[in-house]
Amino acid sequence: MKIEIKQLGVIGKAEFTLADLTIICGENNTGKTYATYALYGFLDSWNRYFSIKISDREFDGLLNEGSIQLDLQSYISDARKIVKSGCRRYSERLPHVFASSEKRFKDSQFLVHLDFKTIQPTSRYTRLMGAAKTDLFSINKHSDSSFVTISLLVEKKKLKIPEELLREVISTAIKDIIFGHYFPQPFIASAERTGAAIFRNELNFARNRLLEEMNSKEKELNPFKLLSKMYSDYALPVKSNVEFTRQLEDISKKDSFISDHYPELLDDFADIIGGEYVVKKDELYFVPKKKARVNLTMDESSSAVRSLLDIGFYIRHKAAEGDLLMVDEPELNLHPENQRRVARLFARLVNLGIKVFVTTHSDYIIKELNTLIMLNQGQKRLFDLAEREGYMRSEFLDPEKVRVYIAEEGLVALDGARKRVRRITFNQADINENGIEARSFDTTIQEMNRIQEDIVWGGSGDD
């Protein structure tokens, strides 16, 4: 899947392909976070903007006959139009994604490009809808069929569901079958995540106070207006982080497939943070390994512990194969050694089937990923070296799974412009078995080396 962004923030025009591991690096104020937030907003809500309508004839057939079959090919033939129209609708909603003025995004465009000539629906799909412990209707697609079967499981007169809702459920299922496997379920750890961790209790207090106001009989309040106002000043990814942090008690009651099948990865994560997160009686604590029976609140814990909180809870309790883990500046508050270890963690997640998307300023992360790519060449000498240095084969990276883009100024052709102009764009870095050519960091490192060499080996200067 290729993403194209036009006139978004400082970005003039940029394209990138979503790979198993996608990295955007570059200097400050080059649009990396803008691209990340726009991508998250789309993946979080694409189903709302894509439009598939169930005809009156088909819907009446379902109600009268109790079952219908819908030919997916009739919808697939319109896939290009559906995606184009959905991207236009989403582009119009970018001000809400960023919690900013419409004027700032009036020319912005977010576009998705799929290979429409080879688009294929998901192989199998089953969904049951019910109410009051009674199944009302089912939606099924078998692996050897291009048809979707919708069947009522109760008599028409007992189907107490608004027709518009039933149409919407069927439409959503069709969209999931045709497009769902192209768009991974996103989880984001924004750069503001440490603040959400510190003020978690205050967030719960504010929410409870809001609920009290909503239930107040002394005032005439619009509850939806209040809820909207509560987070209206924050971009969607920040809101998502706030909500995730606020719901940790419920989240911690479930285990991810990593917890069930790869507990050693969680042990390694605990080594990175030097302990573990614990939820006790609705309170969140960090328990250091070296200080038994000590429960630290988030404001008593290190910034590194807070920085990795969302990622830690995600991999232990939420992660599912096919997800997209998005991390804005994973190096935030981390020592260089832990930056290297987080890079290795990302590689393991990629090899377990979780896509990873990061923006970074960290040369340590890029160089560690380089090492994992170089170790993947399959030579015995490299296997021996990896074992000696403490690397695992589960961390090795196939360069074909990696895409790196450098956000930098370049010549781009804007829509309606007669000539190319200098704007921020994304340039793809070369990747091969020798690693990533990340020139975003090379210039700075070379200049630092030159200055230090001049200090040590330069002319005698003044005596």
Side-chain angles (χ1 to χ4, degrees):
M1 175 176 62
K2 185 171 75 173
I3 306 299
E4 183 178 2
I5 296 171
K6 297 181 181 180
Q7 302 195 58
L8 179 66
V10 297
I11 300 172
K13 182 178 179 180
E15 297 179 356
F16 59 93
T17 298
L18 194 62
D20 293 298
L21 173 58
T22 310
I23 304 166
I24 301 180
C25 53
E27 297 181 7
N28 293 324
N29 302 315
T30 51
K32 301 183 299 298
T33 297
Y34 266 86
T36 303
Y37 282 14
L39 176 61
Y40 174 81
F42 174 80
L43 293 176
D44 182 63
S45 58
W46 65 269
N47 214 313
R48 303 177 199 169
Y49 303 111
F50 285 21
S51 178
I52 287 181
K53 294 184 178 180
I54 309 303
S55 71
D56 291 341
R57 179 181 58 82
E58 292 168 330
F59 192 76
D60 290 342
L62 173 63
L63 296 181
N64 295 328
E65 300 173 19
S67 181
I68 57 170
Q69 284 193 324
L70 302 179
D71 186 359
L72 289 172
Q73 291 304 317
S74 64
Y75 300 106
I76 291 174
S77 62
D78 289 333
R80 186 186 301 273
K81 182 171 66 175
I82 293 169
V83 173
K84 183 178 180 180
S85 176
C87 289
R88 184 180 67 252
R89 291 191 185 97
Y90 174 66
S91 296
E92 293 171 352
R93 295 290 296 176
L94 284 171
H96 299 274
V97 172
F98 287 88
S100 187
S101 68
E102 293 186 6
K103 182 179 179 181
R104 184 168 295 178
F105 295 89
K106 65 183 179 65
D107 297 320
S108 300
Q109 296 181 56
F110 183 95
L111 306 170
V112 171
H113 300 282
L114 304 176
D115 186 353
F116 294 104
K117 293 181 180 179
T118 60
I119 194 166
Q120 292 290 332
T122 190
S123 177
R124 296 175 60 87
Y125 185 93
T126 299
R127 185 173 183 182
L128 281 173
M129 293 296 295
K133 299 182 180 180
T134 301
D135 293 332
L136 301 178
F137 66 96
S138 65
I139 304 174
N140 291 285
K141 179 196 175 296
H142 300 293
S143 57
D144 58 349
S145 175
S146 63
F147 288 86
V148 174
T149 302
I150 298 101
S151 301
L152 298 184
L153 303 178
V154 295
E155 296 178 12
K156 178 182 176 180
K157 61 182 180 180
K158 295 182 180 180
L159 187 67
K160 297 180 180 180
I161 298 178
E163 288 191 5
E164 285 304 311
L165 177 58
L166 181 54
R167 286 178 185 266
E168 183 60 31
V169 170
I170 296 172
S171 173
T172 298
I174 300 298
K175 287 183 280 188
D176 283 341
I177 291 169
I178 297 176
F179 300 109
H181 53 297
Y182 290 100
F183 305 136
Q185 178 66 39
F187 176 86
I188 191 166
S190 70
E192 294 82 3
R193 56 191 178 271
T194 56
I198 294 176
F199 298 110
R200 179 172 174 276
N201 288 335
E202 285 76 3
L203 292 168
N204 274 329
F205 175 81
R207 176 179 176 274
N208 293 336
R209 180 71 187 96
L210 180 62
L211 292 175
E212 288 177 8
E213 289 191 51
M214 289 169 59
N215 290 326
S216 172
K217 296 181 180 179
E218 300 177 1
K219 302 177 183 179
E220 292 185 2
L221 298 173
N222 183 330
F224 298 103
K225 185 176 180 180
L226 282 171
L227 285 171
S228 175
K229 184 179 179 181
M230 186 175 178
Y231 295 142
S232 61
D233 294 334
Y234 299 99
L236 176 63
V238 179
K239 295 177 189 176
S240 297
N241 275 172
V242 168
E243 281 302 297
F244 182 80
T245 304
R246 197 180 58 76
Q247 297 172 13
L248 291 182
E249 290 86 2
D250 292 334
I251 291 169
S252 64
K253 296 174 184 177
K254 300 179 181 179
D255 290 332
S256 69
F257 82 101
I258 293 175
S259 293
D260 292 337
H261 302 292
Y262 304 97
E264 68 279 1
L265 189 149
L266 301 179
D267 292 338
D268 290 342
F269 181 84
D271 286 339
I272 294 175
I273 62 173
E276 62 180 353
Y277 304 108
V278 176
V279 178
K280 294 182 179 179
K281 297 180 180 179
D282 294 339
E283 293 292 337
L284 173 64
Y285 299 101
F286 174 70
V287 182
K289 282 187 173 182
K290 296 180 180 179
K291 295 182 179 180
R293 298 181 181 178
V294 174
N295 296 331
L296 301 178
T297 61
M298 285 300 102
D299 56 345
E300 294 172 329
S301 302
S302 71
S303 57
V305 167
R306 298 195 298 269
S307 177
L308 294 174
L309 172 68
D310 289 356
I311 299 172
F313 269 83
Y314 168 76
I315 61 177
R316 179 178 291 273
H317 302 290
K318 293 278 289 185
E321 293 181 70
D323 280 359
L324 176 66
L325 171 62
M326 307 179 72
V327 186
D328 200 5
E329 299 183 17
E331 66 271 18
L332 198 63
N333 300 315
L334 298 186
H335 183 277
E337 177 59 27
N338 275 342
Q339 293 182 40
R340 293 178 60 199
R341 297 187 69 176
V342 165
R344 293 164 68 176
L345 173 72
F346 289 158
R348 293 173 73 179
L349 292 176
V350 166
N351 291 330
L352 290 179
I354 295 176
K355 297 179 184 295
V356 177
F357 181 103
V358 300
T359 67
T360 184
H361 302 287
S362 172
D363 185 48
Y364 296 104
I365 288 178
I366 296 297
K367 285 191 173 182
E368 192 67 7
L369 293 173
N370 276 347
T371 299
L372 303 179
I373 290 172
M374 296 168 71
L375 288 172
N376 192 57
Q377 297 178 47
Q379 302 171 13
K380 183 180 183 303
R381 178 183 68 84
L382 296 180
F383 289 152
D384 292 342
L385 185 153
E387 184 176 358
R388 185 180 74 237
E389 297 295 334
Y391 289 94
M392 299 176 290
R393 295 194 187 187
S394 60
E395 299 170 334
F396 294 0
L397 269 177
D398 181 348
E400 293 297 320
K401 293 184 176 182
V402 184
R403 296 288 185 277
V404 177
Y405 297 88
I406 302 171
E408 58 190 352
E409 192 175 78
L411 290 173
V412 299
L414 300 179
D415 290 348
R418 294 184 178 180
K419 60 180 181 179
R420 299 204 299 173
V421 295
R422 298 199 70 82
R423 293 288 189 276
I424 296 296
T425 187
F426 292 173
N427 292 311
Q428 187 170 349
D430 292 332
I431 303 175
N432 53 42
E433 60 185 15
N434 293 319
I436 305 163
E437 182 187 329
R439 61 184 180 276
S440 172
F441 306 107
D442 293 343
T443 301
T444 301
I445 293 172
Q446 289 167 5
E447 183 166 341
M448 292 171 65
N449 289 340
R450 177 185 60 77
I451 293 171
Q452 291 179 11
E453 288 174 2
D454 275 354
I455 292 172
V456 177
W457 305 107
S460 58
D462 297 331
D463 292 332

